[in-house]
Amino acid sequence: MANNGVLHCAVTHFRKWCLSQDSPIYHHLRPHIITTKVEHDAVKLPLTHRYAIEADVTYLGVENLPEAVLESIRPSTCLITVMLANNETGIMFSVAHIGRLLAEVNKKRENEGLFKVLLHTDAAQAIGKVPVDVTDLNIDYLTIVGHKYYGPRIGALYIRGLGHKTPVYPLLYGGGQERGYRPGTENTPMIAGLGRASLLVHNNVQDYYTSMKKTRNYMERQLKRLESYHQDLQRLSKDYCIIAKTRSVILVLPTDAPQSL
């Protein structure tokens, strides 16, 4: 729901902005969204099934990502959405670097009278494993998923400057809950549980990170024992792989390889 809401907000705000411009060339301009080819289905499928019709979408590979993002920005770009940590490999993406570069781009766009490009990251796989600071990331929207850090199965969406710095439009309509942005009676116990889990993460994330890093490094040391049987065995990333918990490892072993690690 959170990721769908971000896409809806960005596209809706871009359309309203276009209609507010004096020049008619903006009135029928299609919004443009930049993302990666490795996003979670929570981002990928809404883009594929809905926003591919309503917007132009650029899918980037993971090589030279900050620079590739900037090179892909168009006058009609309204949103960049890049996950913070990949759910299959554990690779961390340089969202903070993108945020810093985008801030400079948006200053120039403001002077040129162009739409401010919004930045979103799905941080579901990062929170609880590494420190996550929305100010350091310089993002407008950040998706939170409670059960990824042992909280209840409920999500949340961080929005910088709710409604005045960053646009918010309801995806659904109904009751007046949550300032009218999301109808439906709030699930108070799960909200409280998410808050408690988030507090525990805030107070203990460095300990969690140290423990999981130790586990990851142990796994890698054991895998290195296989190098004499498989000379091409390599780590997926030397610098940006976060923890063993979020990494997928598939091994095809020779028949004479050790049967246990």
Side-chain angles (χ1 to χ4, degrees):
M1 179 67 75
N3 292 336
N4 276 270
V6 169
L7 298 172
H8 173 73
C9 290
V11 170
T12 300
H13 194 60
F14 179 80
R15 287 175 174 162
K16 287 179 175 289
W17 178 86
C18 286
L19 292 175
S20 71
Q21 302 304 299
D22 294 331
S23 175
I25 64 172
Y26 290 103
H27 295 173
H28 301 287
L29 195 63
R30 282 171 60 87
H32 173 235
I33 298 171
I34 300 172
T35 188
T36 75
K37 297 177 182 178
V38 296
E39 296 297 306
H40 190 276
D41 282 349
V43 169
K44 187 185 302 181
L45 293 183
L47 287 173
T48 302
H49 292 286
R50 176 179 176 183
Y51 293 98
I53 300 173
E54 301 182 19
D56 297 323
V57 182
T58 296
Y59 295 93
L60 300 175
V62 297
E63 300 82 7
N64 303 317
L65 196 54
E67 293 77 12
V69 167
L70 261 63
E71 292 171 359
S72 301
I73 293 176
R74 309 174 187 174
S76 60
T77 301
C78 63
L79 177 69
I80 297 167
T81 175
V82 176
M83 62 180 8
L84 189 53
N86 185 267
N87 54 295
E88 294 184 356
T89 65
I91 294 294
M92 295 285 292
F93 292 110
S94 47
V95 174
H97 189 186
I98 294 172
R100 289 192 296 270
L101 295 175
L102 183 61
E104 296 302 316
V105 170
N106 276 329
K107 289 179 183 178
K108 295 179 182 178
R109 289 173 69 93
E110 183 179 6
N111 294 332
E112 296 170 0
L114 296 175
F115 185 85
K116 175 192 173 185
V117 180
L118 301 164
L119 179 60
H120 165 249
T121 187
D122 185 336
Q125 296 292 344
I127 296 176
K129 305 176 182 70
V130 294
V132 176
D133 188 314
V134 294
T135 302
D136 291 343
L137 293 174
N138 203 13
I139 45 82
D140 299 295
Y141 305 99
L142 181 140
T143 298
I144 301 164
V145 180
H147 69 272
K148 297 298 183 180
Y149 52 97
Y150 305 106
R153 297 185 70 86
I154 186 174
L157 178 65
Y158 164 82
I159 302 171
R160 179 170 59 177
L162 179 68
H164 61 91
K165 287 186 178 180
T166 305
V168 187
Y169 298 93
L171 184 61
L172 303 171
Y173 292 88
Q177 295 88 353
E178 300 188 43
R179 308 183 199 180
Y181 292 128
R182 188 180 186 278
T185 302
E186 295 92 340
N187 190 335
T188 304
M190 296 191 80
I191 292 172
L194 179 66
R196 181 60 179 172
S198 300
L199 179 61
L200 290 171
V201 164
H202 179 268
N203 293 338
N204 300 285
V205 67
Q206 195 59 51
D207 292 337
Y208 298 161
Y209 172 73
T210 300
S211 175
M212 287 184 281
K213 183 178 180 181
K214 182 178 179 181
T215 301
R216 182 199 68 185
N217 292 343
Y218 171 78
M219 182 185 72
E220 290 186 350
R221 287 196 302 271
Q222 301 308 308
L223 289 174
K224 286 180 179 179
R225 295 173 55 191
L226 300 174
E227 286 183 335
S228 60
Y229 296 89
H230 189 70
Q231 297 297 326
D232 296 328
L233 183 66
Q234 296 180 3
R235 181 175 174 178
L236 185 58
S237 170
K238 294 183 178 179
D239 300 313
Y240 300 108
C241 213
I242 53 174
I243 57 167
K245 183 177 178 182
T246 57
R247 289 175 58 190
S248 299
V249 177
I250 300 175
L251 296 176
V252 179
L253 302 179
T255 56
D256 58 343
Q259 297 303 303
S260 64
L261 298 177

